[in-house]
């Protein structure tokens, strides 16, 4: 394996815009307006550990890299498209009334002449924002029942969808991000997509909680300023935000689960001298007096068999044969079981029908059963829940 030795500068993430931070725990989940307007290339790091990085700790570097790359995958193209839209509308403000104005390179629906109609408070959802705008051309000149059916069939403005409101204050354009919290199509409701012959209304809330966005929301409500509402159906924040927030928390707490398996120490030595990783037993089992009982899978009439993780491995003399003789498992399942009970992390791999789920059901030790994300995994998880194993993680 050849590695490069020529000097390379270390690039830092700082100074490009107001959200360009070295510490990812200080970076906003959604892009800021200053970030969207920035003309400089976004700071993106490489997952290649041979390249220099401003973080020396391999675990922190791993977390930092994945946060930045995932955030870019979600918002990178969107930020570029909205940045271009801000510049275009500032050059010709009349474009905010053009129903054909669309961001480039992203799937979007636009609703011109949009404004904040009302603010309300909900005990479970907090401060709500009602956005109102003229009906799209296809929904006009329809009766209320027809409009209701059009909005329901169109699948637009579904709950959770990400919205951007481009508005003007003086000659400067700005952006606010919202999430749809309720799609109401009943024409008998006051704030509904079909209750008014000319205007549609949808209930939302701000996607961020920073002070500037909250102030802008109140100003727009008082001024009744008009702008263009952009629906981005390809972005559902509820599917991304928890993952990004969890990665930030791991960075802030300096905690990477299965660190030795994800970014093992002495990586260069292991590349040159490939060998199985030495994976220790789970922390809660690292006591000489701790053992696992196999009584739930012992054959009728056989004595209970105990496995002490600190003294056991699949390579221990005769242990697989002993477990095979005294339990209802086959040879392959015995090897998988002993490996799982004596290591912090184990992957049990095999084609469908090889009874991996049976091993998970019969051996109820350990904090979780991890299964594949396919049809077989779905059925395995359902079977585990049916037999009373509730601590199931699906990956």
């Amino acid at each position: 394996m050849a590695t490069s030795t020529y000097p390379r500068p270390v690039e830092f993430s700082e100074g490009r815009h107001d959200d360009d931070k070295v510490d990812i725990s200080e970076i906003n989940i959604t892009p800021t307006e200053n970030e969207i307007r920035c003309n400089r290339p976004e700071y993106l790091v490489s997952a290649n550990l041979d390249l220099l990085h401003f973080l020396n700790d391999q675990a922190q570097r791993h977390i930092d890299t994945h946060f930045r790359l995932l955030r870019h995958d979600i918002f990178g193209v969107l930020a570029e498209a909205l940045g271009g839209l801000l510049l275009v509308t500032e050059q010709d403000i009349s474009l905010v009334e053009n129903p054909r104005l669309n961001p480039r390179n992203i799937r979007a629906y636009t609703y011109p002449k949009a404004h904040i109609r009302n603010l309300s408070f909900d005990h479970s959802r907090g401060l709500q924002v009602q956005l109102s705008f003229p009906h799209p051309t296809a929904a006009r000149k329809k009766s209320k029942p027809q409009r209701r059916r059009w909005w329901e069939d169109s699948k637009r403005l579904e709950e959770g969808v990400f919205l951007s409101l481009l508005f003007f204050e003086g000659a400067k354009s700005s952006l606010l991000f919202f999430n749809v919290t309720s799609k109401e199509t009943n024409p008998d409701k006051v704030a509904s997509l079909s209750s008014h012959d000319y205007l549609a209304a949808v209930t939302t809330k701000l996607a961020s909680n920073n002070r500037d966005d909250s102030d802008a929301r109140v100003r727009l409500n008082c001024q009744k300023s008009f702008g263009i509402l952009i629906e981005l159906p390809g972005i559902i924040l509820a599917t991304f935000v928890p993952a990004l927030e969890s990665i930030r928390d791991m960075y802030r707490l300096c905690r990477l689960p299965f660190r030795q398996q994800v970014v093992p120490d002495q990586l260069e030595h292991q590349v040159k001298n490939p060998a199985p990783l030495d994976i220790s037993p789970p922390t809660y089992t690292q006591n000489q007096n701790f053992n696992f009982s196999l009584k739930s899978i012992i054959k009728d009439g056989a004595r209970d068999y105990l496995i002490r993780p600190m003294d056991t491995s699949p390579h221990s003399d005769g242990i697989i044969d002993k477990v095979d003789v005294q339990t209802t498992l086959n040879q392959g399942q015995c090897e998988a079981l002993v490996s799982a009970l004596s290591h912090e992390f184990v992957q049990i791999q095999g084609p469908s029908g090889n009874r991996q789920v049976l091993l998970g059901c019969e051996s109820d030790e350990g904090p979780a059963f991890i299964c594949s994300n396919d049809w077989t995994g779905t059925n395995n998880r359902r079977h585990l829940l049916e037999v009373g194993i509730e601590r199931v993680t699906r990956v």
Side-chain angles (χ1 to χ4, degrees):
M1 178 179 174
T3 57
S4 175
T5 58
Y6 68 88
R8 287 165 293 186
V10 179
E11 188 178 3
F12 286 85
S13 171
E14 199 168 29
R16 292 168 180 79
H17 48 76
D18 61 352
D19 209 27
D20 188 32
K21 309 288 181 59
V22 172
D23 187 342
I24 62 170
S25 64
E26 298 177 359
I27 296 178
N28 294 297
I29 298 295
T30 55
T32 65
E33 183 179 328
N34 191 275
E35 179 180 356
I36 291 171
R37 289 180 177 274
C38 181
N39 293 323
R40 295 177 61 184
E42 184 178 0
Y43 173 75
L44 293 176
V45 292
S46 172
N48 184 356
L49 296 178
D50 181 48
L51 298 179
L52 295 176
H53 194 278
F54 63 85
L55 290 171
N56 293 322
D57 184 275
Q58 292 298 324
Q60 291 293 82
R61 171 178 177 168
H62 180 83
I63 298 171
D64 176 275
T65 299
H66 282 273
F67 176 86
R68 295 181 191 277
L69 294 181
L70 177 58
R71 185 174 181 270
H72 173 75
D73 285 345
I74 300 168
F75 298 112
V77 176
L78 168 65
E80 184 178 348
L82 292 180
L85 202 61
L86 286 171
L87 293 176
V88 168
T89 53
E90 285 179 346
Q91 294 170 2
D92 184 0
I93 194 173
S94 65
L95 289 175
V96 297
E97 299 182 4
N98 185 349
R100 296 185 178 180
L101 180 67
N102 265 303
R104 294 181 179 180
N105 302 324
I106 58 173
R107 180 185 169 209
Y109 301 115
T110 55
Y111 308 96
K113 298 182 180 179
H115 68 280
I116 294 181
R117 174 178 175 177
N118 189 28
L119 301 179
S120 61
F121 184 79
D122 182 271
H123 286 287
S124 60
R125 293 173 174 167
L127 191 60
Q128 305 286 286
V129 181
Q130 289 180 7
L131 298 174
S132 187
F133 50 89
H135 285 289
T137 304
R140 296 174 189 171
K141 298 182 180 179
K142 293 182 181 290
S143 65
K144 289 184 178 182
Q146 289 174 331
R147 274 200 305 274
R148 178 178 188 174
R149 181 163 186 177
W150 185 88
W151 278 108
E152 290 174 349
D153 292 345
S154 71
K155 302 301 179 182
R156 294 193 184 190
L157 298 173
E158 295 289 340
E159 185 173 337
V161 164
F162 192 54
L163 306 176
S164 176
L165 179 63
L166 189 156
F167 63 95
F168 274 82
E169 290 186 306
K172 181 179 179 298
S173 59
S174 296
L175 291 168
L176 282 179
F177 293 126
F178 298 90
N179 286 322
V180 176
T181 57
S182 176
K183 178 182 179 178
E184 181 59 70
T185 59
N186 187 347
D188 297 330
K189 301 288 186 179
V190 176
S192 165
L193 289 168
S194 58
S195 59
H196 195 280
D197 291 338
Y198 178 68
L199 295 175
V202 63
T203 304
T204 68
K205 68 178 298 182
L206 278 176
S208 64
N209 295 317
N210 68 66
R211 180 66 178 270
D212 291 341
D213 287 354
S214 298
D215 291 345
R217 171 186 57 189
V218 174
R219 288 199 308 273
L220 291 177
N221 180 57
C222 296
Q223 298 168 1
K224 301 300 179 186
S225 301
F226 288 85
I228 182 166
L229 183 64
I230 305 166
E231 178 184 358
L232 303 155
I235 299 179
I236 308 294
L237 285 190
T239 63
F240 302 117
V241 170
L244 288 169
E245 289 180 340
S246 178
I247 296 174
R248 278 197 318 194
D249 289 342
M250 285 194 294
Y251 183 89
R252 180 173 52 83
L253 299 172
C254 300
R255 182 183 60 84
L256 177 63
F258 304 114
R259 182 195 186 285
Q260 285 301 320
Q261 288 73 55
V262 178
V263 282
D265 294 330
Q266 300 178 341
L267 182 62
E268 184 177 350
H269 173 76
Q270 291 171 357
V271 170
K272 295 178 180 178
N273 304 279
L277 286 174
D278 183 15
I279 302 175
S280 61
T283 304
Y284 69 94
T285 69
Q286 294 180 14
N287 184 313
Q288 292 297 333
N289 297 322
F290 184 93
N291 55 64
F292 287 113
S293 169
L294 302 187
K295 62 182 178 181
S296 61
I297 53 176
I298 290 293
K299 292 178 180 177
D300 292 340
R303 296 175 58 189
D304 190 10
Y305 191 84
L306 303 177
I307 289 182
R308 184 172 289 110
M310 291 299 294
D311 302 329
T312 304
S313 80
H315 308 294
S316 301
D317 292 340
I319 187 169
I320 300 300
D321 292 333
K322 293 177 183 177
V323 175
D324 187 16
V325 169
Q326 295 191 239
T327 68
T328 57
L329 305 180
N330 60 36
Q331 189 82 6
Q333 290 175 328
C334 290
E335 292 180 9
L337 175 64
V338 174
S339 294
L341 297 183
S342 58
H343 296 89
E344 183 182 29
F345 176 83
V346 169
Q347 177 184 3
I348 302 175
Q349 185 177 1
S352 299
N354 274 22
R355 305 174 76 200
Q356 295 97 329
V357 68
L358 179 63
L359 175 61
C361 290
E362 294 191 347
S363 175
D364 57 1
E365 302 284 2
F369 176 85
I370 303 177
C371 58
S372 58
N373 190 18
D374 55 13
W375 182 87
T376 302
T378 300
N379 283 275
N380 290 351
R381 183 177 185 275
R382 184 182 298 116
H383 185 53
L384 289 170
L385 293 173
E386 288 175 354
V387 299
I389 300 177
E390 299 180 353
R391 302 172 71 182
V392 181
T393 301
R394 182 175 182 174
V395 295

